[in-house]
Amino acid sequence: MIIPEIIRPTRSPLNKPKPKLNQPLNRSAVLLSAILIFTAFVVAPFINPPKTQAWTDKVMPKCTSLSFGTFNWKDKIQEKLDQYEANNPNNVAPESWNLESAQAFILYQAPNDTDVRLDAVFSNLKLAEFYKDPADSKYKYQLGIEPSAYQNPSWSHYQWEINITSKTVTSVGLTPSFATRSATTPYPTHDIMCVYSARGFDYAPTYDGTIFDTDVPSQGGEPECALLDIPCKIQKLTQGIADTFTAVNNALMRFLAWLFVPESSEMQEHASNLTDLLNEKLGFLLYPLTFTVDIWQALNDDTNAWCTESSCSKNTGSFMGSNFNLDFFKLNDVIPSLFVFMQNAIRVITILGLIHLARMKFKEVTQK
Amino acid sequence: MILNAILTLYIGALDAVLGVLPSLPATPTAITNGGNWLIDLIAGVSSMLRAIYSPALLTGIIVILIAILAFDYIYFALLWALKKIPMINIK
């Protein structure tokens, strides 16, 4: 009988040799670490977590940042403006409302509404300056704008807040005219896009500018979950995770846009630098190119086109370096029908001439 | 940022290369004046023709005119290109 030999493991997990410090590191691990560190240091500054507002006497109010990606302000504000004008036919919005400039906003309280609803949109414009009043140690704000319509003649910044709170103001239209009012300091530029409110509105991170379906949240933000309110805590946790993913996604998008899409001003600066350099160094060698570009621009420039409309007063033309009144186009003002007839006659004659030219060419080719 | 960096490097390299060379003199004033006069003339004629014919019709007229006047050259170039295709067998 053969007794099998006991096989002893030559290497047990216990006596596994420890890695030496001078061994080369795993390439994949190094690469992954590098990516993580790069992401953390480069993308993290772009993360802009959603902010909530809180307005109490002792807490500095903050603004809710809204980006163009989540706030289609033109459609939203235009819709509200139409609604406002429909409800207030005698109190139209300020004329300076300009959707294109993106520097105006409207703020109103819907008629017969129990809640104050605020919607403000502004960009590249610092509208409010918050400060602490030493008289009563309350935080107040100044608006660097001129109210175009307000109910209380003794309007002041703090009064405005009281009015809104007490629901005495039904509508306030504000235009960024930067008139100096009672220690109001205009701040013409500030690269921020915010919604300010005098009360403590808490905007959800996914707020897109629509009116709240429910009541305006109470001052100071949403109530905290009770100690044993597990569903509430789970909901807050889920919401927090979702907000984090949204914030990271937005940050990544902003980072990629910053990385790959240059701004037009930067491209113009590069083009200007290149043109200056070539003009300085190449001198007359660059002139043929400049001349060609100028001719192309002259052929496609409509600004110096002669006017043939009767509403225009520009019936003088420039030809061979001299300005004169072109009677042919003046005819459009005097006898428009004759002008149109002559214009069409010239067009028909030209087209017939082209047809004749094509026919001659056809004969020439076929008779070769 | 990447495109900005590439363009900055390119302009910088071009500046370094051209910096070695002396700056060439600018175009003489007489030539630039003549060129400007010609450009003004072309702009005036072009705007007058556009006013008479309308831009769309003027574009069509110019295209047809070029096609007729340069017919021989266009025909020669087209035939030369077609001869390169063996399946058509044009000689």
Side-chain angles (χ1 to χ4, degrees):
Chain A
M1 183 178 182
I2 301 173
I3 300 173
E5 186 181 357
I6 296 173
I7 300 174
R8 292 183 178 178
T10 55
R11 285 185 178 181
S12 72
L14 295 176
N15 58 8
K16 186 178 180 180
K18 294 179 180 176
K20 297 177 181 177
L21 289 178
N22 57 358
Q23 281 182 339
L25 295 173
N26 190 340
R27 282 189 174 184
S28 303
V30 171
L31 188 62
L32 187 61
S33 304
I35 290 174
L36 287 176
I37 292 171
F38 175 79
T39 306
F41 277 91
V42 176
V43 178
F46 288 86
I47 295 179
N48 186 17
K51 299 173 182 175
T52 56
Q53 298 186 25
W55 176 270
T56 63
D57 288 346
K58 301 297 180 185
V59 178
M60 186 72 127
K62 296 177 181 177
C63 65
T64 299
S65 295
L66 299 175
S67 66
F68 277 108
T70 58
F71 188 78
N72 190 0
W73 64 272
K74 279 188 176 180
D75 296 340
K76 299 294 179 186
I77 297 301
Q78 185 61 58
E79 180 186 344
K80 293 186 194 322
L81 184 67
D82 295 340
Q83 182 185 355
Y84 171 77
E85 289 185 345
N87 293 331
N88 301 273
N90 297 324
N91 188 13
V92 296
E95 292 181 356
S96 58
W97 174 268
N98 187 358
L99 284 177
E100 298 301 325
S101 69
Q103 291 182 346
F105 72 97
I106 191 166
L107 180 151
Y108 67 94
Q109 178 185 4
N112 302 321
D113 203 339
T114 55
D115 296 321
V116 176
R117 295 172 176 173
L118 301 177
D119 282 289
V121 175
F122 27 90
S123 65
N124 300 321
L125 194 67
K126 187 174 184 179
L127 289 178
E129 174 73 6
F130 295 95
Y131 68 101
K132 188 175 183 179
D133 192 349
D136 51 7
S137 298
K138 289 183 178 180
Y139 285 97
K140 300 176 182 179
Y141 61 91
Q142 297 174 332
L143 291 180
I145 53 177
E146 172 79 7
S148 60
Y150 49 90
Q151 212 169 34
N152 190 345
S154 61
W155 185 88
S156 67
H157 316 301
Y158 198 53
Q159 185 70 39
W160 184 57
E161 181 212 353
I162 292 174
N163 282 343
I164 288 179
T165 307
S166 61
K167 301 184 180 62
T168 57
V169 173
T170 55
S171 65
V172 176
L174 299 171
T175 55
S177 61
F178 291 114
T180 303
R181 285 178 61 86
S182 62
T184 298
T185 305
Y187 291 86
T189 57
H190 195 275
D191 192 14
I192 193 169
M193 198 171 167
C194 291
V195 170
Y196 288 100
S197 68
R199 293 175 58 189
F201 293 165
D202 279 341
Y203 293 95
T206 55
Y207 175 64
D208 62 351
T210 54
I211 297 176
F212 289 106
D213 293 331
T214 59
D215 291 342
V216 175
S218 60
Q219 184 172 343
E222 295 179 4
E224 292 293 329
C225 295
L227 183 62
L228 297 178
D229 192 357
I230 303 300
C232 175
K233 290 185 181 298
I234 291 175
Q235 184 187 0
K236 278 190 173 295
L237 178 66
T238 311
Q239 186 64 41
I241 293 172
D243 293 346
T244 305
F245 275 109
T246 305
V248 170
N249 181 45
N250 292 339
L252 274 174
M253 290 297 108
R254 282 199 298 274
F255 171 68
L256 291 176
W258 169 79
L259 196 61
F260 292 107
V261 184
E263 295 189 4
S264 59
S265 60
E266 294 171 338
M267 294 302 292
Q268 287 174 357
E269 187 183 349
H270 287 308
S272 175
N273 290 338
L274 188 60
T275 307
D276 291 344
L277 176 66
L278 293 179
N279 276 328
E280 180 189 350
K281 286 294 177 184
L282 297 184
F284 66 89
L285 287 181
L286 204 65
Y287 185 70
L289 180 64
T290 311
F291 183 71
T292 309
V293 171
D294 288 344
I295 286 182
W296 179 255
Q297 285 181 345
L299 288 174
N300 292 282
D301 187 14
D302 283 333
T303 56
N304 62 347
W306 286 347
C307 181
T308 59
E309 301 294 329
S310 58
S311 59
C312 300
S313 60
K314 182 186 172 187
N315 277 324
T316 56
S318 171
F319 193 73
M320 299 292 284
S322 59
N323 296 322
F324 56 90
N325 188 5
L326 200 63
D327 291 333
F328 177 70
F329 291 106
K330 190 76 176 175
L331 190 62
N332 192 26
D333 291 339
V334 183
I335 313 174
S337 55
L338 182 60
F339 175 80
V340 172
F341 172 77
M342 291 180 66
Q343 195 178 29
N344 288 330
I346 291 173
R347 291 177 181 180
V348 169
I349 290 170
T350 308
I351 292 171
L352 288 177
L354 278 177
I355 293 173
H356 178 69
L357 197 61
R359 183 167 159 270
M360 296 290 290
K361 191 67 186 177
F362 178 76
K363 279 186 179 179
E364 179 190 333
V365 171
T366 52
Q367 287 176 1
K368 275 184 182 176
Chain B
M1 181 52 66
I2 290 177
L3 192 57
N4 273 335
I6 292 173
L7 284 174
T8 306
L9 285 175
Y10 171 72
I11 294 174
L14 198 63
D15 193 9
V17 170
L18 292 179
V20 179
L21 304 174
S23 298
L24 294 175
T27 312
T29 315
I31 295 178
T32 55
N33 288 340
N36 291 337
W37 177 84
L38 189 59
I39 289 169
D40 288 342
L41 178 66
I42 291 173
V45 172
S46 167
S47 57
M48 183 183 72
L49 291 178
R50 266 181 293 167
I52 294 175
Y53 289 110
S54 82
L57 182 60
L58 183 62
T59 306
I61 288 172
I62 291 173
V63 169
I64 293 173
L65 202 60
I66 291 174
I68 293 173
L69 294 180
F71 178 82
D72 292 349
Y73 302 103
I74 296 171
Y75 178 76
F76 176 78
L78 191 65
L79 204 62
W80 180 84
L82 289 175
K83 281 180 181 176
K84 299 296 179 188
I85 304 173
M87 287 81 77
I88 301 178
N89 197 20
I90 294 177
K91 294 180 179 176

